[in-house]
Amino acid sequence: MDNVNYATRRDLIYGPLREEGVFTWDWMYGEEYALATIHTITPEQRRELSDATEKLGRIFHKVVRIVQQAPDSLLLELGIPEAALGAVRVLVSEDVPTLIGRFDFASTPDGLKMLEFNSDTPTSIVEAFHVNGHVCEQFGVQDPNTGMKQHLRDGFQRLMNRYAELGYRTEEVYFSALDWHEEDAGTTKFLLQQSGIEQAQFVALSDLRYYEDKLAAYKSFGDEWELHRIDVLYRLHALEKLAEECDEEGFPTGSHVLDLIACQRLAIINPPQGFIAQTKALQALIWNLHEAHEFFTDEEHDVIHRYMLPTYLENRFLGQSSYVTKPIFGREGGGVVLRDADGQAEEQDAEEFYWEQPMIYQQRVELEPIAVETLRGNYDGHLLWGSFLIDGRASAIVARVGGKITGNLSYYLPVGVKQPD
């Protein structure tokens, strides 16, 4: 495969995947997204990503459980919308923070450093659990994610069983995303397939209706349209966005759906407690408890010191060291600014979203530099690692290459594992 020119190699790799219909966004917005090359890591590096993921997952779960029981004032300070206060207090999973989460790491001279935890609506799922294995096979290298689709099925089944144990109705299951958004719709349909939930169906977000105190799917049968009750909803749609949504007449549909969740009349995936772990302000709370040497065991303090970065809700870096400002619910690098010790912006995200949100202040670390081949030639970029936490278990990994801030159009880079000589 290495002997074939890049463009041909790319067609050989991604052509069959496009025809299969599962991964169709190797190009995004007219730009190359998925690279036709592979980056290899050692078995030791693979193990450390897994180890850090599981240990951090346990720490986030421990803090989420306490925050769920805290006064509203703390939840509001962490950025939880008022409309979601009741929903996030619903305890579904007693031993994990979310069903599908993704930690993002930088590989630095001081080791792996966790930048954020995407625990509400993570993406790059198809790339990690499906595409990566295909590319590894083409290059004849070991896939670091072998067999991990089963983690998804096991997790969905356990969560569905848990909802049933709690007395929820689980007959009508829908998976929902923006149907016009190729990546979101494709990711959601992939998860539907992997979930093993036989009765599950896809419904566009635009076809969801709040009707007679329940959430329903608006479905067509020929020329007829009917509303169908939804018992369980997987949604690739952020809860902070849902909290603000109103219909065309100004009716607050989002807050009413959140009330259904709070009253345990609607089950959602990811479970509502995962939204608490999503706010980056929780990283500031964890670091504050760590600095005070409170709440955590000695072993947990060691994990925090090793893998997390100093993070605050106020600027403690000004005049001392370089730092990063991030919106508490920003995604895909949105609203991120890299600043020097004097507070001057050295690089910032160019997108228009998330700037109105409260910010956290985090110690700045640089992403590992990397050179990759693309259709435009060689590209000198920076490497970001994603490591999935599926139902509390370390799972598939994914790599992205972009600028110093990893944005929405950063490249997807397949990953293999080096074999010992």
Side-chain angles (χ1 to χ4, degrees):
M1 184 63 74
D2 283 325
N3 296 326
V4 180
N5 75 69
Y6 184 85
T8 302
R9 185 196 321 157
R10 196 176 188 287
D11 286 340
L12 290 171
I13 291 173
Y14 293 109
L17 287 169
R18 285 193 297 272
E19 291 175 10
E20 179 188 47
V22 178
F23 181 67
T24 59
W25 55 96
D26 57 290
W27 283 79
M28 293 178 69
Y29 309 106
E31 299 286 341
E32 182 181 18
Y33 165 61
L35 295 175
T37 186
I38 200 155
H39 177 70
T40 56
I41 58 174
T42 65
E44 292 75 21
Q45 288 172 306
R46 180 65 183 99
R47 282 194 294 271
E48 185 174 19
L49 279 164
S50 293
D51 192 46
T53 297
E54 286 201 0
K55 288 178 177 178
L56 287 169
R58 289 193 288 270
I59 285 170
F60 271 77
H61 172 66
K62 183 174 182 177
V63 177
V64 166
R65 286 288 293 113
I66 296 300
V67 170
Q68 280 187 294
Q69 304 165 53
D72 287 352
S73 57
L74 176 59
L75 287 165
L76 292 169
E77 186 177 356
L78 293 175
I80 304 299
E82 188 171 354
L85 291 176
V88 299
R89 293 190 187 281
V90 175
L91 176 61
V92 180
S93 302
E94 295 187 342
D95 53 352
V96 297
T98 192
L99 172 60
I100 302 172
R102 192 193 73 234
F103 285 104
D104 287 345
F105 291 98
S107 180
T108 78
D110 295 321
L112 286 177
K113 296 297 179 181
M114 189 270 291
L115 305 179
E116 57 191 61
F117 184 31
N118 301 281
S119 57
D120 185 39
T121 56
T123 53
S124 297
I125 294 168
V126 180
E127 293 90 320
F129 288 89
H130 185 69
V131 179
N132 201 79
H134 171 79
V135 181
C136 284
E137 184 178 353
Q138 296 295 310
F139 279 92
V141 300
Q142 181 183 337
D143 176 18
N145 304 332
T146 298
M148 292 180 180
K149 284 182 182 178
Q150 189 64 41
H151 294 176
L152 294 170
R153 179 160 298 206
D154 292 346
F156 271 104
Q157 295 298 323
R158 195 170 84 99
L159 183 57
M160 289 292 290
N161 290 338
R162 177 60 179 160
Y163 272 126
E165 289 170 4
L166 292 171
Y168 286 79
R169 298 186 71 166
T170 57
E171 295 85 16
E172 301 291 336
V173 183
Y174 286 84
F175 282 58
S176 191
L178 295 168
D179 58 339
W180 55 264
H181 193 287
E182 192 172 15
E183 180 188 6
D184 285 6
T187 299
T188 301
K189 291 173 182 178
F190 173 78
L191 286 174
L192 189 160
Q193 180 196 26
Q194 297 303 316
S195 72
I197 304 171
E198 292 183 1
Q199 72 274 31
Q201 303 176 59
F202 178 83
V203 62
L205 284 173
S206 59
D207 288 334
L208 296 179
R209 298 289 187 273
Y210 179 82
Y211 178 72
E212 294 184 349
D213 293 328
K214 62 178 178 287
L215 187 65
Y218 194 50
K219 299 178 62 182
S220 65
F221 296 88
D223 295 331
E224 301 294 324
W225 287 82
E226 295 179 1
L227 285 171
H228 289 251
R229 185 190 78 244
I230 297 176
D231 298 325
V232 182
L233 178 71
Y234 168 85
R235 34 89 224 170
L236 191 52
H237 187 58
L239 281 193
E240 77 270 13
K241 294 181 180 178
L242 179 64
E244 299 175 349
E245 288 176 343
C246 297
D247 66 13
E248 295 171 353
E249 298 176 355
F251 180 77
T253 52
S255 63
H256 279 75
V257 172
L258 287 164
D259 286 343
L260 292 178
I261 298 166
C263 296
Q264 301 184 39
R265 294 169 59 193
L266 174 67
I268 62 168
I269 304 173
N270 276 314
Q273 66 206 63
F275 186 54
I276 296 177
Q278 176 73 36
T279 169
K280 297 178 185 66
L282 196 74
Q283 293 176 242
L285 175 60
I286 292 171
W287 191 261
N288 181 273
L289 292 169
H290 169 62
E291 280 194 325
H293 211 78
E294 297 174 350
F295 186 64
F296 299 110
T297 66
D298 287 344
E299 181 182 358
E300 289 166 341
H301 279 294
D302 289 343
V303 171
I304 294 167
H305 176 75
R306 181 174 182 178
Y307 294 119
M308 293 187 68
L309 293 166
T311 306
Y312 306 98
L313 294 177
E314 65 283 334
N315 192 349
R316 298 192 187 178
F317 301 102
L318 195 61
Q320 304 293 323
S321 62
S322 59
Y323 61 97
V324 183
T325 55
K326 300 178 180 180
I328 58 173
F329 288 120
R331 289 168 169 80
E332 299 282 5
V336 172
V337 182
L338 308 183
R339 300 182 183 274
D340 64 19
D342 294 325
Q344 297 299 309
E346 294 188 343
E347 190 148 345
Q348 70 180 53
D349 170 60
E351 297 292 329
E352 59 183 302
F353 306 109
Y354 307 115
W355 295 99
E356 77 287 354
Q357 293 183 8
M359 298 283 173
I360 56 128
Y361 302 83
Q362 188 176 75
Q363 178 182 309
R364 179 173 167 181
V365 293
E366 303 299 333
L367 299 177
E368 177 185 358
I370 186 172
V372 292
E373 188 178 6
T374 78
L375 283 170
R376 293 182 173 180
N378 291 329
Y379 172 74
D380 293 320
H382 299 81
L383 181 61
L384 177 75
W385 290 102
S387 181
F388 283 91
L389 182 77
I390 306 298
D391 198 29
R393 174 164 53 174
S395 193
I397 60 173
V398 66
R400 298 284 298 273
V401 176
K404 292 184 177 181
I405 299 172
T406 308
N408 189 41
L409 293 180
S410 297
Y411 293 111
Y412 157 60
L413 175 65
V415 181
V417 177
K418 296 175 184 175
Q419 294 302 299
D421 294 331

